[in-house]
Each structure stands twice: as structure tokens, then as C-alpha cells.
Amino acid sequence: MKTIDEYRIEIETAIRNLKLPEGKLDNLYNPIRYALSAGGKRIRPVLTLMAADAFGQKAPEAVMPAVGLETFHNFTLLHDDVMDKSEMRRGRLTVHKKFNENTAILSGDTMLTLASQYVSQVPDNLLRVVIDAFNEMAINVYEGQQLDMDFEQQSQIALTDYIEMIQKKTGALLGTCTMIGALIGGASEKDAQKMYEFGLQTGVAFQIQDDWLDTFGDYTTFGKSIGGDINNGKKTYLYVAAFEQDSQTAKALREAYEIPAGDVRVKTVTRIYEKLGINEATKKAVNHYSSLALKALNSTSLDDEKKEVFRKLAEKLIGRKK
Amino acid sequence: MKTIDEYRIEIETAIRNLKLPEGKLDNLYNPIRYALSAGGKRIRPVLTLMAADAFGQKAPEAVMPAVGLETFHNFTLLHDDVMDKSEMRRGRLTVHKKFNENTAILSGDTMLTLASQYVSQVPDNLLRVVIDAFNEMAINVYEGQQLDMDFEQQSQIALTDYIEMIQKKTGALLGTCTMIGALIGGASEKDAQKMYEFGLQTGVAFQIQDDWLDTFGDYTTFGKSIGGDINNGKKTYLYVAAFEQDSQTAKALREAYEIPAGDVRVKTVTRIYEKLGINEATKKAVNHYSSLALKALNSTSLDDEKKEVFRKLAEKLIGRKK
């Protein structure tokens, strides 16, 4: 197996070499080129290549499906940015800000179909299972996004519903990336399913950690300003867990969220979290889902050396400082 | 083969019986139920069932793929309505007006993936060709929509570019509907390709006829108000054909379009069209593309009786009064 950086470079190269039409249709394809060139860690397609290599040294065959999964991810970011009216993404203007909203909608649609085209570049005997997994994952992601939007309108959310939401919105794609890679590598159906579980639970742990970092992270290494979620009234793992405690806590939290966005609100909410032990409880949840991921990984037929590579990647992802 | 109405009822029944999640995810799926229940002629999925029956009495096997193609069509209408800021569709509020814009974007995305799921319900030996045809068609539709939006900003458009746009935006889907139906029916690759051509050219003729009706149609039977395209400054076949004539015509037309929207503008532009013989030239173009469609149909291996059924449907579609 290669290093994570080597896999990432393979993905970057494949994305740069995509043959998207030029000229007359630039208004449709330039926003796609822009969205796909934004970089980032490319963690999803890297997972696909890693899994394909781990199970059968088939990374080259997995490159186009991996690019498809990354294209899908970028399509969801593009449409999410329109829905959230976000102006910046990865230090650059979002697509609907740089171009316009109609372009963002139509180029996003195009990216979803391109993703499907790239993902379907697998041997015939895998086509059905890969296409089905891809479509089912996509449905999960939309449902997760809808639940996330619904939560914004609700004050009380069950922790199990929150976990379901991040499983769909974040976990399903990571799980599908590892699973499709494993299938291309020649993994058994059972191993492919375990690798899905590994990706899924890693995604859940990652998302909870992301929530934690936004409140308890270290600004200098996290890179985003601390308390953004609190100021935006976002329903995070911390918020949901705190709200579940008792009616008095819920009341205090509701009042804290009535303070205008700013340092005072962030400090007040953070103090409530600390008093309730949410800081520790959240870290415990991250560990819980990480251990579910590792349990799934350990139950595959991969040898220890290969398991170690995935374990390290998951640690790097979840324990990430920025 | 059954009657068009019988096929339409089969499609309506299948759409009504779709098992979309209910309850928690209503905010995502209610707009989809709303969009899919709007009715209409269901001409696209009817073509798929007809072709499946004509080539192999396989309409039942074609129902889900046909529903997928109709779902795709409705997804494009939904996103187009967001982009055009249209308020009404088929006598009802558009999805983004009845619900909201974010809902329309996300439910539309979901419909595209549902379409892909339904279309992929074909025997394994057809999966690759059907999925590839579906994705290629979808890309054509987005490209056609982009060209259509681009044309709004251009005063001079080549007639060949206009034809390319409607081939992509309207023709490709109709062609894919007949082709996929034919493939499910067991048609040879050659026959399937001819049926694609039949659907494609029928779609082009239909679109040009639609442009003609908007200016020269009979209000009482057309059902839409005459001159809508002229008042909206839409680049129709008539406009593009007139503009191609000479610089004097182009100047007169440009001036006519500077008249504020209303009866005077409509009458002035219509008079220019009439003077140039655009009325007749457009009818000739409709006949030209209709005859290309029939030529393709006639060159298939279908027996005369079956050809007659498709010929009648095309006539009904193109010669439609509303």
C-alpha cells in the first residue's frame, strides 16, 4: 500500500485530467472545474483507493469510482452552500457567489450525474452492487441534510435522532467509499460490509469530534473561530446532549441562546456545557464510535499491517487538530 | 399493444404505488409526492411502455424504468422552475412556491437519484447500456438547459445552435425513453438506435411546433395566451430564423423588442414574422423533423401495424392543439 499523500496525489491528478467539455459550454463546466479544484484532504476517494489496494492491489481500477465519490461529495457541498447561503468555502468564494445561484443549481445537478458516470466505471460483475450502494448512499445524504435542516426549527432533539442524522449525512458516504473500494479490490461481501461499518462509524466519530472542536477546540490549531456553532444556534451533539438532561438545564440553555450572538453567549453556553460534563461526555462519545469503527475493521480478514494503516487514518481524521 | 390511455393509467398507478418514506421525512418526500402527482400526459413513460410492448410485449418489465424517466423529467421541471422563478406549473403552485426554495433544491436532487434507482430496475444484461444511456441523456438535458439560459443573453443565435439546444433539452429524453423501452422489449442494438432517433426527432419537431403555437396558435384551443414568448423575449425557433435573414430584419426585430411587453409588441413582431414567411418556414421545419422521425421509425424491423401506432402518437403529439 502507498502513503495517504501518494493516494491523494493520484486523486488530484485524475481530477485534473478529467475531460470536461470546453468552449461553448463553459458556463456549465467552469463552475464544476472550480468546485473540483478546491482541494481539501480528499479523504473520501483516498479511502476508496486504500481499500481497493488493501483487498487486492486494485487502486488503479478504483481511481475513477473514487473520483466519482469525491465529485458526489463536492456536489453536496455546492448545493448545501446555496441552501445555507454560505459565502466562503475552503478560503474561496462559494460557487453561487463566484458565479450565480442558477449556475450553482445546474452545475450541481451535472456533478451528480458525472459522479454516477464515474462511479459506474467498474467491472460488469460489480456494476449492480456498486450502483445500488451509490444511489442508496445518496438518498441517505439527502435525508440527513433534510433532518439537519428540520432540527434547526426544533428545540428538543433526541440524541438517537441526532446520531441517525450524522450517520446519514456524514457516515454513509465514508462507509460507501471504503465499501466500494473493498469490492473493487475483490473483498468478500462480508468484508465489504465490515468496511462499510468502519467508514460509517469513523464518520460519526469525526462529526461529533467536529462539534466538540467548535466549542472546546484550540483556536490556533483548529483554524476556525471557536463558538461558531453556538453563535449560529446550530444543533450540535453538545447542544442535543445538554438539552436531554433535565427541564432546568433546558430552560437555562434556552435562555443562554437568547443572548445576542457574541462572546457572552458563547461563554454562557460553554459554561453550561462544562457544568454538565458535556465536554467529557462528548469525548466519550467520540471514543465510543471510534471503537465501533475499529471493532468492524478488526473483524475483517485483512492482515494486521493493513488494519494498522486504516486505524492510523481514522486516528488522524478523528484526532485532527484542524 | 394497448391504447395510449391504458399505458398512461399504468404509469399513474405505478407512481401512486411508489413506496416513498412517510412520517419523519415528510419535509423531503411530500414535495416529491406533490411534484409526481401533477399528472400531465405522461408521454415519456408511455413511449417507454409502448416500445417495450412493440418489441417484445414487455411493458410490465418496463414500468419502473418508465417511472424513473418520468421522475427525471419532473426533477428537471422542478429545478427549472426554481431557476426561472416560475410560480405556476400545470395550474398549481410550483414546488418552490408551495414549499420553499431549499426544499425544491433538495427534493429535486432526491428525485434525480430516485430516477436512477427506478431506471436501474432492468435485467442485469441491460444494466450497463441502460445506465449509460440514462446518464448521457441527463448530461444532454443539463447542457441544453445551459445553452437555453445562455441564449437569453445573446441577440444573435445560429439556427444550428438552436436546433442543437432543443435536441439536448427536449429530444434526448424522448429518444432515451423510446430506446430504453425498445431495449427492454428485446430490440436489437440497431433497432434501439433507430427508436432513439425517432424519439429525438419527434422531440425536436414538438418543440418547434410549441414555439409556433405560442405565436400563431389559436388561443381557445392552445390554452396558453398567445405571444407569451414574444413578451418574455424568449429566443424561439421563429426569432432565431427571422434574425438569420439579413441585417435590416435584425434591426427591425431588435427595435420591435424594445417596445414594452404587451399587444403592440406582439403584433409588431408577429407582423415581421409574417412578412418574412416565418410562419410557413416554421411549419416546414416541423414537417422536416417529423419526417426524419418517421424515416427512423420506418427503418426499424417493427411490422407496419406497430409502426402505425408510433406514427399516430407522434402526429398527436406534434399536431396537438393544446
Side-chain angles (χ1 to χ4, degrees):
Chain A
M1 288 176 72
K2 297 180 183 169
T3 68
I4 292 170
D5 255 357
E6 285 169 327
Y7 287 124
R8 195 180 47 71
I9 287 163
E10 280 188 42
I11 293 296
E12 290 294 350
T13 305
I15 288 175
R16 237 186 350 266
N17 290 340
L18 287 175
K19 299 257 171 299
L20 297 173
E22 286 185 61
K24 199 156 65 172
L25 283 157
D26 274 351
N27 285 342
L28 185 66
Y29 289 103
N30 278 346
I32 297 176
R33 280 185 270 268
Y34 178 78
L36 287 177
S37 67
K41 295 182 301 296
R42 309 290 193 191
I43 190 70
R44 292 160 189 81
V46 164
L47 275 170
T48 305
L49 296 193
M50 278 175 61
D53 256 357
F55 282 94
Q57 297 180 289
K58 289 279 179 76
E61 287 87 337
V63 168
M64 281 314 291
V67 168
L69 291 158
E70 178 70 5
T71 303
F72 176 83
H73 175 57
N74 281 273
F75 141 72
T76 64
L77 298 180
L78 206 163
H79 275 193
D80 283 3
D81 284 341
V82 175
M83 291 187 263
D84 296 342
K85 309 204 181 304
S86 303
E87 307 208 338
M88 300 294 287
R89 154 97 42 205
R90 290 177 183 147
R92 311 191 308 170
L93 287 174
T94 51
V95 170
H96 69 101
K97 276 286 155 190
K98 184 166 174 74
F99 301 89
N100 61 64
E101 217 172 285
N102 285 357
T103 292
I105 294 173
L106 192 60
S107 295
D109 294 345
T110 308
M111 287 173 78
L112 173 50
T113 295
L114 288 174
S116 181
Q117 287 184 322
Y118 302 154
V119 166
S120 65
Q121 291 180 34
V122 291
D124 282 347
N125 67 317
L126 289 178
L127 185 60
R128 170 81 61 193
V129 61
V130 165
I131 283 287
D132 284 354
F134 175 75
N135 284 331
E136 195 183 325
M137 174 278 292
I139 295 286
N140 270 314
V141 172
Y142 311 138
E143 290 183 354
Q145 168 71 2
Q146 183 65 53
L147 291 173
D148 200 13
M149 296 196 302
D150 288 348
F151 288 172
E152 284 174 29
Q153 315 300 325
Q154 298 164 21
S155 62
Q156 184 109 29
I157 298 146
L159 207 49
T160 50
D161 287 342
Y162 183 80
I163 295 295
E164 187 198 355
M165 183 275 282
I166 59 178
Q167 279 178 340
K168 285 175 177 283
K169 193 174 169 178
T170 306
L173 177 52
L174 284 169
T176 303
C177 287
T178 40
M179 182 174 72
I180 288 181
L183 287 168
I184 293 170
S188 68
E189 209 177 298
K190 203 178 146 194
D191 271 347
Q193 201 47 52
K194 305 265 184 206
M195 288 305 286
Y196 179 85
E197 185 75 10
F198 166 73
L200 173 80
Q201 303 294 6
T202 300
V204 171
F206 167 82
Q207 190 56 58
I208 298 174
Q209 174 75 356
D210 201 55
D211 287 356
W212 184 88
L213 282 170
D214 197 88
T215 296
F216 293 108
D218 175 359
Y219 173 71
T220 51
T221 48
F222 183 45
K224 294 198 269 184
S225 62
I226 298 301
D229 287 348
I230 293 174
N231 277 329
N232 293 324
K234 203 168 176 303
K235 304 297 157 52
T236 61
Y237 184 90
L238 291 72
Y239 176 95
V240 174
F243 224 94
E244 282 220 322
Q245 307 266 330
D246 55 56
S247 60
Q248 213 185 325
T249 304
K251 190 166 164 280
L253 210 53
R254 227 182 314 243
E255 281 167 7
Y257 271 94
E258 275 164 22
I259 301 169
D263 275 0
V264 178
R265 187 206 276 195
V266 173
K267 274 189 190 139
T268 310
V269 172
T270 305
R271 220 171 295 133
I272 295 173
Y273 287 162
E274 275 168 347
K275 220 177 90 187
L276 296 169
I278 297 295
N279 184 339
E280 295 308 314
T282 305
K283 282 202 258 182
K284 227 173 116 180
V286 173
N287 287 335
H288 171 67
Y289 290 101
S290 297
S291 70
L292 289 182
L294 294 184
K295 204 176 137 196
L297 177 68
N298 285 333
S299 68
T300 63
S301 64
L302 287 175
D303 63 37
D304 286 345
E305 202 185 324
K306 283 170 182 159
K307 284 177 185 165
E308 183 60 20
V309 179
F310 285 102
R311 197 178 298 128
K312 280 210 164 128
L313 181 77
E315 264 171 28
K316 199 178 153 180
L317 189 63
I318 297 164
R320 84 199 196 292
K321 287 292 180 290
K322 62 173 180 177
Chain B
M1 288 175 71
K2 297 181 184 169
T3 68
I4 292 170
D5 256 357
E6 285 169 326
Y7 288 124
R8 196 181 44 72
I9 287 164
E10 278 188 42
I11 292 296
E12 290 294 350
T13 306
I15 288 174
R16 238 187 348 268
N17 290 339
L18 287 176
K19 300 257 172 300
L20 297 173
E22 287 186 59
K24 199 157 63 173
L25 284 157
D26 274 350
N27 286 342
L28 185 65
Y29 289 104
N30 278 346
I32 297 176
R33 281 185 270 269
Y34 178 79
L36 286 177
S37 68
K41 295 182 300 295
R42 309 291 193 192
I43 190 69
R44 292 160 189 82
V46 164
L47 275 170
T48 305
L49 296 193
M50 278 174 61
D53 256 358
F55 282 94
Q57 297 180 289
K58 289 279 178 76
E61 286 85 339
V63 169
M64 282 314 291
V67 167
L69 291 158
E70 178 69 5
T71 303
F72 176 83
H73 175 57
N74 281 273
F75 141 71
T76 64
L77 297 180
L78 207 162
H79 276 193
D80 283 3
D81 284 342
V82 175
M83 292 186 263
D84 296 342
K85 310 207 179 302
S86 303
E87 306 208 338
M88 300 295 286
R89 155 96 43 206
R90 291 176 183 148
R92 311 190 309 171
L93 287 173
T94 50
V95 170
H96 68 102
K97 275 287 155 190
K98 186 168 172 74
F99 302 89
N100 61 64
E101 218 172 283
N102 284 355
T103 292
I105 294 172
L106 191 61
S107 295
D109 294 344
T110 308
M111 287 172 79
L112 174 51
T113 295
L114 288 173
S116 180
Q117 286 184 322
Y118 301 154
V119 166
S120 66
Q121 291 180 33
V122 291
D124 282 346
N125 66 317
L126 290 177
L127 185 60
R128 170 81 61 191
V129 59
V130 165
I131 284 288
D132 284 353
F134 175 75
N135 285 331
E136 194 183 326
M137 174 278 294
I139 295 286
N140 270 314
V141 172
Y142 311 138
E143 291 183 353
Q145 168 72 2
Q146 182 65 53
L147 291 173
D148 199 13
M149 297 196 304
D150 288 348
F151 288 172
E152 285 174 30
Q153 315 301 326
Q154 298 165 20
S155 62
Q156 183 109 29
I157 298 146
L159 206 50
T160 50
D161 287 342
Y162 182 80
I163 296 294
E164 187 199 354
M165 184 274 282
I166 59 178
Q167 279 178 340
K168 284 174 177 282
K169 192 174 170 178
T170 306
L173 177 52
L174 284 169
T176 303
C177 286
T178 41
M179 182 174 73
I180 288 181
L183 287 168
I184 293 170
S188 68
E189 210 177 298
K190 204 177 143 195
D191 271 349
Q193 201 47 51
K194 305 264 185 206
M195 288 304 287
Y196 179 85
E197 185 74 9
F198 166 73
L200 172 80
Q201 303 294 5
T202 300
V204 171
F206 168 82
Q207 190 57 58
I208 298 174
Q209 174 75 354
D210 201 58
D211 286 357
W212 183 88
L213 283 169
D214 198 87
T215 296
F216 294 107
D218 175 358
Y219 173 70
T220 51
T221 48
F222 183 46
K224 292 198 268 182
S225 61
I226 299 300
D229 286 347
I230 294 175
N231 276 328
N232 294 324
K234 202 168 177 303
K235 304 295 158 52
T236 62
Y237 184 89
L238 291 72
Y239 175 95
V240 173
F243 225 93
E244 281 220 322
Q245 308 264 331
D246 54 55
S247 61
Q248 213 185 325
T249 303
K251 189 166 165 279
L253 210 55
R254 226 183 313 242
E255 281 166 10
Y257 271 94
E258 275 165 22
I259 302 169
D263 275 359
V264 179
R265 185 204 278 196
V266 173
K267 275 188 190 141
T268 310
V269 172
T270 305
R271 221 171 295 134
I272 295 173
Y273 287 161
E274 276 168 347
K275 222 177 89 188
L276 296 169
I278 297 295
N279 184 340
E280 295 308 314
T282 305
K283 281 202 258 182
K284 229 174 112 180
V286 172
N287 287 335
H288 171 67
Y289 290 100
S290 297
S291 70
L292 289 182
L294 294 184
K295 204 176 135 194
L297 177 67
N298 285 333
S299 67
T300 64
S301 64
L302 287 175
D303 63 37
D304 285 346
E305 202 184 324
K306 282 169 183 159
K307 283 176 185 164
E308 184 60 20
V309 179
F310 286 102
R311 197 178 298 130
K312 280 210 165 129
L313 182 78
E315 264 172 27
K316 201 178 152 180
L317 189 64
I318 297 163
R320 83 199 197 294
K321 287 294 180 291
K322 62 173 183 179

